[in-house]
């Protein structure tokens, strides 16, 4: 019977405090729902079986982790806010004669009710939107829509368990706080004024230093590969800097303004400056969080939108501006036992054989080969010293890449002319060159005019028309193509390099370290669309591989000790893969952005409420001293607008600084179009600002209702 | 010459849904001469606060007129009211009403800044007033750092800084201990002796005994008034107490 009373009290408390509980429960529902969706997406096998969709579970798992972390932070944030607002009420119960134990019971029921509502409605909400999400993903991946209601009981259980544990922890924390609550202190402390905020100089210096360092790193990253570790370093520094500067910098700045008498003692400024001082003291953490979340949304959306919309173009660039449909690289390997040790040799298959078998494969899948052009090459990172180029082997992303290191793609003249349709000729001893990226400097900046590679001396000659191709990985800022006079010259270079490697390393490591000519062919087919429908990337290449192997056996190679290798890159396979990857990244970007926005709105809403109660008293005094209602409203609005848009402005500045690094990161992901990225970024910033404005409008209404 | 004329003032409060009507002021008429120090006394619910709110132009009467230096309050537009109040009236409240985000200096200067005074003029006006009120040393402090008496002196300085025609004080000693009360009453007498007109609403016989005239309000009407004449504070105190006794006991039959 007594428990029934507590339960009823708890119910009525939640109803009475709906202004606080509704957002708390909504946050719980939303987060539970989104987490459930993410978890199910990561485990749904139907998605994994989409063509090229093998990356989806991994990407969604990342989303799961982000949502989980954000959930913990937000649930504890709303919980602590709730507690702060309600402490007085709990203290009152205590004063009125209820034991702590009994207040604890009421609190337990309040927590239980809000938790059950949050989790149950959250999971239901998740199940409901799951189908919608699936449809959306399929649309973005350009695949047929997966139909059918799908519930994974294991995911439901995991979601419920995880969130229940989180809420239990929050309740225990509340209970602990309650046990330590001293009602007398609580009632006595009501009337004392708040202390004037002091400038925290150490924090200010830390903030300036970290933000400066973060910005410096971001602005000076040179190579795309260096961009990855540096990007994360910069992100962490900037986050620390943002928090520190919001905490200390804002107060220092406002105090400086207050010192300037000519500025400060003006009708418009005086109240605004001193009120802002207190506002910043109370809200710095919340505002800094908003700034970080906003930056996160802008970065996520601009990059994922850009990658997704640029997919077709990326593919086109990769495949010689669309002139090629498939790149095939082949070689054979023969192993034999010598003195109890296995040694293997690579050998090359004749061009005619490759062509013949490829035509056979393509025909079998219902299309025809239109053109077949060799594009043999050597692609590696070279380090130049005293005019001599050697293969640069340390490729740890954390190592500092020394000066004079550059990625080269060496192509024989005949293949270059064949593919580019040019008729370039080379002077004796000279090589032609081109830069893969239009904004790269002249090649002579890193490669000496006179140089040797693999014992072959060459002189940098004329610049030739660039081949539009993207090396799979970009280790250095700039990549250059080098045109050597003949295939023989290329083979001589490779032999020379191999010898050098032998001398330097020798032994077992040679298994990994070797220079070799990539016998790559650029193939065009009659009907790539048809092939895209009948082929998943692996089928055609394994058919081709089997033919190669059979041919080798026919040629008399020992079947047990010979392998044929075919590396196969088709535009349709790449398209499936990229759409699956970028599409699911885009989806993740949208979903996480929504969660971030929701978190932002929640922080702002609670901030408005808590400030509203504080400002009410101030508002009344100002009117008594002789300000009109209109003037008072005006000053308060101005302050709110400043406080509100500070995070937005901060986010935009962060984005501007991060822009060059992100552009370099996108280059790593083979996204070469700068204009598109600029456009995507601008669009995201504008869209975000608009949504932010709407959130402001909605929450400001609550604020004015309290103040008035 | 009278600075304030109040004639036939009437105020009826209507509850929100129009049901009950409460008559707060029935018929109040009095005048205040320039340089006078008037105390208004009355029990809780007698209509003192309503009267003060109407004089402060925070509320409007149902009927009757308030004329401040020949200007009728009800004739002033709502939009000009705040400016009018800032320029002509100074306020001292029971709970001080200082802004805790402002230093003592900024609290005093606030009305001047709101009036659009030049930043360079501010210090020149502040110094003499702060000195007169004995708070020159506190100017850089914040309200939470000073005592109640010091807060109230700050509020008085804030009321004085615009050279108002009339200072309205609402229970100014209500939240002060006896020593601070004495201090404040001395301050009021000082500024009054320099020609400042003061109208003070109070419960406290002691506070009222410093005034030059005491008005008694009961049931929304001016019931009685006492002039100081040649009385000392003590004699006036006695007269006021007698009147209050009469008000609560014998007066009912009047």
């Amino acid at each position: 019977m007594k428990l029934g009373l507590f339960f009823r009290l708890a119910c009525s408390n939640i109803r009475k405090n709906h202004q606080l509980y509704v957002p708390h429960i909504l946050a719980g529902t939303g987060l539970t729902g989104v987490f459930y969706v993410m978890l199910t997406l990561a485990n749904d096998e139907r998605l994994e079986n989409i063509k090229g969709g093998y990356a989806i579970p991994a990407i969604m798992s990342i989303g799961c982790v982000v949502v989980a972390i954000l959930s913990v932070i937000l649930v504890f944030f709303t919980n602590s806010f709730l507690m702060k607002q309600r402490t007085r009420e709990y203290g009152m119960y205590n004063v009125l004669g209820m034991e702590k134990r009994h207040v604890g019971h009421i609190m337990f029921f309040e927590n239980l009710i809000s938790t059950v509502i949050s989790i149950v409605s959250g999971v239901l909400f998740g199940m409901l939107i799951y189908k919608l999400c699936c449809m959306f993903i399929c649309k973005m991946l350009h695949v047929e829509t997966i139909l059918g209601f799908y519930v994974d009981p294991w995911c439901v259980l995991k979601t419920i368990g995880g969130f229940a544990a989180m809420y239990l922890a929050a309740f225990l924390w509340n209970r602990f706080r309650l046990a330590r609550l001293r009602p007398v202190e609580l009632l006595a402390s009501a009337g004392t004024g708040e202390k004037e905020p002091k400038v925290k100089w150490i924090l200010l210096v830390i903030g300036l230093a970290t933000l400066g360092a973060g910005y410096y790193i971001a602005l000076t990253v040179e190579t795309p590969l260096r961009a990855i570790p540096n990007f994360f370093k910069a992100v962490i520094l900037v986050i620390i800097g943002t928090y520190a500067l919001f905490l200390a910098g804002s107060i220092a700045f406002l105090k400086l303004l207050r010192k300037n008498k000519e500025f400060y003692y003006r009708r418009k400024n005086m109240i605004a400056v001193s009120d802002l001082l207190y506002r910043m003291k109370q809200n710095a953490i919340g505002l800094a969080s908003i700034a970080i979340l906003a930056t996160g949304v802008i970065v996520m959306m601009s990059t994922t939108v850009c990658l997704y919309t640029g997919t077709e173009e990326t593919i086109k660039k990769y495949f010689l501006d669309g002139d090629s449909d498939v790149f095939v690289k082949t070689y054979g390997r023969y192993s034999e036992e010598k003195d109890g040790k296995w040694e293997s040799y690579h050998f090359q298959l004749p061009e005619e054989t490759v062509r013949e078998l490829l035509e056979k494969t393509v025909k079998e899948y219902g299309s025809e080969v239109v053109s077949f052009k060799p594009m043999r090459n050597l692609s590696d990172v070279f380090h130049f010293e005293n005019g001599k180029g050697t293969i640069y082997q340390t490729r740890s992303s954390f190592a500092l890449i020394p000066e004079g290191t550059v990625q080269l793609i060496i192509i024989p003249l005949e293949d270059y002319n064949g593919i580019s349709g040019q008729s370039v000729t080379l002077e004796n001893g000279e090589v032609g060159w081109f830069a893969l990226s239009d904004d790269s400097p002249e090649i002579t900046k890193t490669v000496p005019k006179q140089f040797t590679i693999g014992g072959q001396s060459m002189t940098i000659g004329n610049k030739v028309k660039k081949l539009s191709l993207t090396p799979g990985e970009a280790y250095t800022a700039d990549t250059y193509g080098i045109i050597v006079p003949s295939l023989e010259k290329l083979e001589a270079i490779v032999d020379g390099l191999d010898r050098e490697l032998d001398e330097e390393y020798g032994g077992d490591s040679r298994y990994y370290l070797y220079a070799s000519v990539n016998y790559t062919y650029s193939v065009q087919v009659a009907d790539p669309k048809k092939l895209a429908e009948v082929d998943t990337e692996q089928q055609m290449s394994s058919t081709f591989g089997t033919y190669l192997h059979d041919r080798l056996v026919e040629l008399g190679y020992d079947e047990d000790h010979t392998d044929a290798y075919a590396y196969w890159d088709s535009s349709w396979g790449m398209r499936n893969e990229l759409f699956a990857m970028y599409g699911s990244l885009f989806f993740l970007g949208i979903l996480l952005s929504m969660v971030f926005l929701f978190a932002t709105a929640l922080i702002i809403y609670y901030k408005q409420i808590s400030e509203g109660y504080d400002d009410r008293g101030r508002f009344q005094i100002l009117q008594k001293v002789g300000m009109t209602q209109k003037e008072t409203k005006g000053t308060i609005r101005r302050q709110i607008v400043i406080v509100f848009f500070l995070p937005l402005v901060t986010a935009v500045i962060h984005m501007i600084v991060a822009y060059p690094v992100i552009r370099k990161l996108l280059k790593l992901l083979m996204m070469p179009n700068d204009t598109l990225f600029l456009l995507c970024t601008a669009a995201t910033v504008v869209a975000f600002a608009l949504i932010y404005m709407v959130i402001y409008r909605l929450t400001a209404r609550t604020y004015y209702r309290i103040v008035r | 010459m009278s600075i304030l004329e109040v004639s036939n003032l009437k105020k009826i409060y209507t509850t929100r849904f129009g049901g009950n009507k409460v008559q707060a002021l029935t018929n109040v008429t009095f005048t205040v001469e320039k340089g006078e120090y008037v105390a208004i006394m009355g029990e809780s619910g007698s209509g003192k606060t309503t009267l003060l709110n109407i004089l402060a132009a925070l509320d409007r009467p149902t009927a009757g007129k308030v004329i401040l230096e020949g200007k009728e309050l009800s004739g002033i537009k709502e939009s000009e009211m705040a400016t009018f109040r800032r320029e002509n009236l100074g306020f001292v409240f029971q709970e001080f009403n200082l802004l805790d985000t402002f230093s003592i200096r900024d609290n005093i200067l606030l009305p001047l800044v709101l009036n659009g005074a030049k930043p360079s003029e501010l210090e020149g006006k502040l110094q003499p007033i702060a000195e007169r009120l004995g708070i020159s040393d506190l100017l850089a402090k914040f309200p939470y750092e000073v005592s109640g008496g010091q807060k109230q002196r700050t509020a008085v300085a804030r009321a004085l800084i615009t050279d108002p025609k009339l200072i309205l004080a609402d229970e100014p000693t209500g939240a002060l201990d006896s020593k601070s009360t004495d201090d404040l009453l001395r301050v009021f007498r000082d500024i009054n002796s320099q020609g400042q007109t003061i109208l003070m609403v109070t419960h406290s016989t002691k506070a009222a005994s410093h005034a030059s005239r005491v008005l008694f309000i009961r049931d929304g009407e001016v019931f009685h008034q006492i002039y100081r004449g040649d009385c000392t504070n003590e004699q006036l105190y006695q007269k006021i107490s007698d009147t209050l006794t009469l008000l609560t006991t014998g007066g009912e039959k009047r």
Side-chain angles (χ1 to χ4, degrees):
Chain A
M1 192 217 89
K2 230 178 169 185
L3 281 181
L5 174 71
F6 292 137
F7 183 75
R8 276 200 303 280
L9 262 174
C11 285
S12 80
N13 279 347
I14 290 180
R15 225 171 299 134
K16 258 192 330 231
N17 289 297
H18 69 272
Q19 217 175 26
L20 302 173
Y21 271 99
V22 169
H24 178 64
I25 291 175
L26 267 180
T29 305
L31 290 167
T32 315
V34 171
F35 182 79
Y36 170 77
V37 167
M38 286 284 166
L39 195 64
T40 317
L41 284 175
N43 288 296
D44 192 340
E45 282 170 5
R46 298 173 308 170
L47 285 173
E48 208 177 340
N49 294 332
I50 289 175
K51 269 181 198 168
Y54 60 86
I56 293 177
I59 290 170
M60 294 304 162
S61 302
I62 297 172
C64 260
V65 174
V66 175
V67 174
I69 293 171
L70 205 66
S71 296
V72 172
I73 295 171
L74 275 186
V75 163
F76 274 84
F77 169 77
T78 59
N79 177 66
S80 84
F81 183 84
L82 221 68
M83 271 303 278
K84 217 185 270 167
Q85 297 288 319
R86 302 213 44 214
T87 307
R88 246 187 114 73
E89 207 178 315
Y90 290 137
M92 213 57 170
Y93 281 132
N94 207 187
V95 171
L96 290 176
M98 239 186 232
E99 282 173 42
K100 285 257 176 85
R101 205 154 48 88
H102 299 146
V103 183
H105 290 327
I106 296 178
M107 193 194 250
F108 172 74
F109 279 120
E110 284 169 2
N111 279 258
L112 184 71
I113 293 167
S114 65
T115 303
V116 169
I117 296 177
S118 300
I119 294 182
V120 170
S121 58
V123 171
L124 288 178
F125 167 67
M127 288 175 180
L128 223 73
I129 60 164
Y130 184 71
K131 202 173 161 185
L132 203 74
C133 291
C134 267
M135 270 161 56
F136 192 56
I137 290 181
C138 291
K139 259 253 136 44
M140 290 200 305
L141 266 54
H142 300 281
V143 295
E144 236 171 88
T145 310
I146 296 170
L147 292 172
F149 192 69
Y150 181 89
V151 174
D152 184 341
W154 190 233
C155 292
V156 175
L157 228 62
K158 266 190 186 165
T159 309
I160 292 177
F163 276 82
M166 204 157 70
Y167 279 110
L168 181 67
F171 166 70
L172 290 176
W173 171 244
N174 292 348
R175 190 68 188 77
F176 172 72
R177 288 266 306 264
L178 179 71
R180 300 190 36 167
L181 194 68
R182 305 275 291 276
V184 183
E185 281 169 25
L186 190 86
L187 295 176
S189 71
T192 54
E194 210 179 334
K195 273 191 184 153
E196 195 207 3
K198 293 251 158 23
V199 180
K200 297 177 182 113
W201 290 106
I202 298 173
L203 203 60
L204 181 66
V205 172
I206 291 174
L208 285 174
T210 48
L211 192 74
Y215 275 9
Y216 178 78
I217 291 176
L219 289 172
T220 52
V221 165
E222 275 201 353
T223 67
L225 198 66
R226 305 274 314 148
I228 296 176
N230 281 331
F231 186 67
F232 287 108
K233 263 185 245 162
V235 165
I236 288 165
L237 284 172
V238 167
I239 288 177
I240 296 171
T242 307
Y243 276 105
L245 282 188
F246 266 77
L247 276 166
S250 58
I251 287 172
F253 176 71
L254 287 166
K255 285 214 163 174
L256 211 67
L257 282 185
R258 207 170 62 174
K259 280 232 175 82
N260 181 350
K261 291 212 158 45
E262 273 296 316
F263 174 86
Y264 177 59
Y265 287 114
R266 297 272 174 200
R267 202 202 298 219
K268 277 192 173 172
N269 306 334
M270 188 178 179
I271 297 167
V273 170
S274 33
D275 277 5
L276 275 175
L277 259 174
Y278 285 80
R279 255 176 236 276
M280 287 314 297
K281 184 188 166 197
Q282 289 162 355
N283 294 307
I285 300 250
L287 292 174
S289 305
I290 293 175
I292 301 289
L293 286 174
T295 316
V297 169
I298 294 173
V299 170
M300 264 190 313
M301 283 313 287
S302 58
T303 48
T304 53
V305 168
C306 176
L307 283 173
Y308 181 72
T309 50
T311 308
E312 284 293 348
E313 198 186 341
T314 305
I315 294 166
K316 201 176 155 208
K317 276 259 164 74
Y318 188 83
F319 287 94
L320 294 173
D321 259 338
D323 284 345
S324 174
D325 294 312
V326 188
F327 284 123
V328 183
K329 182 172 117 186
T330 62
Y331 64 87
R333 198 170 81 188
Y334 177 71
S335 316
E336 63 178 4
E337 205 176 356
K338 243 186 192 172
D339 313 326
K341 257 177 142 185
W342 282 96
E343 281 194 13
S344 39
Y345 304 94
H346 289 238
F347 60 91
Q348 201 39 56
L349 298 142
E351 188 180 328
E352 300 74 43
T353 314
V354 176
R355 180 171 191 152
E356 183 201 327
L357 295 177
L358 189 93
E359 277 170 351
K360 191 175 161 195
T361 311
V362 171
K363 209 168 238 163
E364 196 168 305
Y365 280 82
S367 186
E368 243 167 281
V369 171
V370 174
S371 79
F372 179 90
K373 292 172 184 165
M375 198 189 77
R376 294 158 292 200
N377 65 81
L378 166 68
S379 173
D380 222 322
V381 179
F382 291 91
H383 180 65
F384 285 93
E385 224 175 295
N386 302 325
K388 182 169 183 267
T390 48
I391 292 183
Y392 181 70
Q393 291 294 353
T394 313
R395 288 187 195 160
S396 156
S397 46
F398 291 95
L400 195 69
I401 291 172
E403 283 284 302
T405 310
V406 70
Q407 181 153 14
L408 298 179
I409 302 172
I410 305 175
I411 305 169
L413 181 66
E414 61 238 56
D415 290 4
Y416 172 80
N417 279 342
I419 279 175
S420 65
Q422 309 274 305
S423 44
V424 171
T425 51
L426 294 174
E427 298 283 321
N428 199 19
E430 276 191 359
V431 294
W433 68 277
F434 62 87
L436 277 190
S437 165
D438 290 330
D439 50 7
S440 293
E442 293 280 305
I443 189 170
T444 42
K445 198 182 161 235
T446 33
V447 181
K449 191 147 176 62
Q450 295 275 348
F451 68 98
T452 59
I453 293 182
Q456 305 288 315
S457 344
M458 289 163 270
T459 311
I460 301 272
N462 291 328
K463 189 173 181 176
V464 298
K465 186 171 169 274
K466 83 164 178 182
L467 279 182
S468 175
L469 46 84
T470 313
E473 313 143 287
Y475 289 102
T476 54
D478 306 300
T479 303
Y480 298 96
I482 300 256
I483 316 298
V484 293
S486 64
L487 180 63
E488 289 72 42
K489 181 87 172 174
L490 179 62
E491 281 169 343
I493 290 173
V494 169
D495 285 345
L497 283 171
D498 242 357
R499 262 198 307 281
E500 284 170 13
L501 283 170
D502 250 345
E503 281 161 24
E504 194 168 342
Y505 299 97
D508 298 335
S509 61
R510 287 281 287 121
Y511 184 74
Y512 305 101
L513 295 178
Y514 57 84
S516 72
V517 178
N518 298 317
Y519 286 85
T520 306
Y521 301 95
S522 157
V523 182
Q524 242 184 324
V525 295
D527 197 354
K529 279 215 180 95
K530 188 166 183 187
L531 288 176
E533 274 165 30
V534 296
D535 171 48
T536 67
E537 186 87 337
Q538 295 89 348
Q539 285 168 336
M540 245 171 123
S541 79
S542 72
T543 310
F544 179 59
T546 316
Y547 288 155
L548 282 178
H549 184 77
D550 292 350
R551 175 60 57 91
L552 288 180
V553 175
E554 275 169 41
L555 290 172
Y557 283 91
D558 172 3
E559 187 166 6
D560 294 334
H561 298 134
T562 311
D563 288 316
Y565 290 89
Y567 288 102
W568 183 281
D569 256 337
S570 69
S571 61
W572 56 88
M574 186 172 172
R575 182 172 294 115
N576 284 339
E577 253 173 57
L578 287 189
F579 268 123
M581 189 157 87
Y582 294 163
S584 42
L585 275 176
F586 185 25
F587 174 79
L588 191 69
I590 293 173
L591 210 61
L592 286 184
S593 294
M594 287 203 294
V595 175
F596 278 27
L597 272 173
F598 186 68
T600 309
L602 201 70
I603 296 173
I604 290 171
Y605 177 80
Y606 278 145
K607 188 184 80 61
Q608 300 272 43
I609 287 186
S610 64
E611 276 198 353
Y613 288 120
D614 285 351
D615 286 350
R616 185 153 64 177
R618 226 174 276 160
F619 191 86
Q620 281 160 355
I621 292 176
L622 281 173
Q623 276 179 313
K624 277 187 180 161
V625 176
M627 257 180 131
T628 59
Q629 204 163 11
K630 220 171 123 193
E631 280 174 318
T632 324
K633 244 181 127 172
T635 44
I636 289 191
R637 180 174 303 138
R638 204 161 31 245
Q639 291 169 41
I640 291 186
V641 167
I642 292 174
V643 167
F644 205 78
F645 286 95
L646 193 66
L648 186 64
V649 172
T650 312
V652 172
I653 295 173
H654 283 350
M655 183 64 209
I656 290 171
V657 176
Y659 184 82
V661 194
I662 297 176
R663 215 182 56 190
K664 287 191 176 101
L665 280 172
L666 286 177
K667 279 196 176 154
L668 261 187
L669 292 169
M670 301 190 293
M671 175 48 165
N673 191 330
D674 288 347
T675 332
L676 181 66
F677 180 50
L678 190 65
L679 219 68
C680 288
T681 309
T684 314
V685 168
V686 171
F688 182 81
L690 285 177
I691 295 171
Y692 195 74
M693 224 95 87
V694 172
I695 296 175
Y696 163 66
R697 287 251 156 190
L698 291 177
T699 54
R701 225 184 286 159
T702 319
Y703 172 85
Y704 284 122
R705 216 177 299 144
I706 294 169
V707 168
R708 215 174 287 140
Chain B
M1 184 201 137
S2 66
I3 191 165
L4 179 73
E5 278 177 52
V6 177
S7 50
N8 305 316
L9 216 54
K10 193 185 258 190
K11 177 74 189 180
I12 298 170
Y13 285 111
T14 319
T15 47
R16 196 192 291 187
F17 299 109
N20 299 333
K21 289 185 174 169
V22 180
Q23 182 140 21
L25 296 179
T26 321
N27 185 5
V28 176
T29 304
F30 67 93
T31 56
V32 176
E33 301 298 315
K34 197 173 166 75
E36 246 192 319
Y37 181 1
V38 178
I40 296 178
M41 293 197 78
E43 290 183 6
S44 303
S46 61
K48 289 174 306 188
T49 309
T50 308
L51 176 63
L52 199 75
N53 279 344
I54 291 173
L55 296 181
L58 288 168
D59 202 350
R60 293 197 175 242
T62 315
K65 277 193 251 177
V66 177
I67 298 168
L68 185 68
E69 268 208 331
K71 196 160 186 183
E72 204 189 319
L73 251 51
S74 57
I76 299 169
K77 272 189 256 161
E78 192 68 48
S79 54
E80 290 160 10
M81 194 52 100
T83 321
F84 176 82
R85 291 175 55 211
R86 267 199 320 254
E87 284 170 358
N88 296 289
L89 301 171
F91 298 93
V92 180
F93 305 92
Q94 178 176 356
E95 19 0 294
F96 322 130
N97 276 337
L98 299 180
L99 288 165
D100 48 11
T101 56
F102 275 171
S103 63
I104 299 293
R105 163 184 274 110
D106 291 352
N107 263 299
I108 298 173
L109 291 176
L110 180 64
L112 273 187
V113 174
L114 288 177
N115 274 347
K118 285 196 191 108
S120 52
E121 293 172 356
L122 299 177
E123 208 60 16
K125 289 207 172 179
L126 173 70
Q127 281 313 331
I129 289 176
E131 231 156 84
R132 212 160 85 197
L133 293 174
I135 46 176
S136 302
D137 300 337
L138 306 175
L139 291 175
K141 294 208 158 137
F142 280 78
Y144 71 90
E145 296 171 306
V146 303
S147 72
Q150 289 165 331
K151 277 187 206 169
Q152 196 58 299
R153 270 182 279 160
T154 307
V156 173
R158 179 176 68 185
L160 284 174
I161 199 148
T162 51
D163 290 327
K165 300 197 172 84
L166 179 64
I167 281 196
L168 295 172
D170 184 6
E171 296 279 9
T173 59
L176 300 180
D177 59 47
S178 65
K179 190 182 167 297
S180 301
T181 301
D182 288 342
D183 275 355
L184 186 76
L185 291 173
R186 207 172 304 127
V187 165
F188 269 24
R189 216 180 34 219
D190 281 355
I191 59 176
N192 175 244
S193 67
Q194 282 163 27
Q196 177 67 54
T197 317
I198 300 172
L199 184 78
M200 170 170 72
V201 167
T202 183
H203 245 103
S204 148
T205 310
K206 187 174 181 186
S209 69
H210 284 246
S212 58
R213 177 155 62 113
V214 185
L215 291 171
F216 295 88
I217 288 192
R218 198 177 71 167
D219 301 333
E221 281 179 270
V222 178
F223 167 80
H224 183 62
Q225 60 175 326
I226 305 174
Y227 281 88
R228 171 184 287 271
D230 295 327
C231 295
T232 59
N233 285 353
E234 286 72 27
Q235 287 166 325
L236 190 58
Y237 187 98
Q238 197 53 51
K239 274 189 180 180
I240 295 168
S241 315
D242 292 347
T243 310
L244 287 176
T245 316
L246 187 72
L247 260 168
T248 40
T249 56
E252 263 144 54
K253 286 193 197 105
R254 187 190 69 114

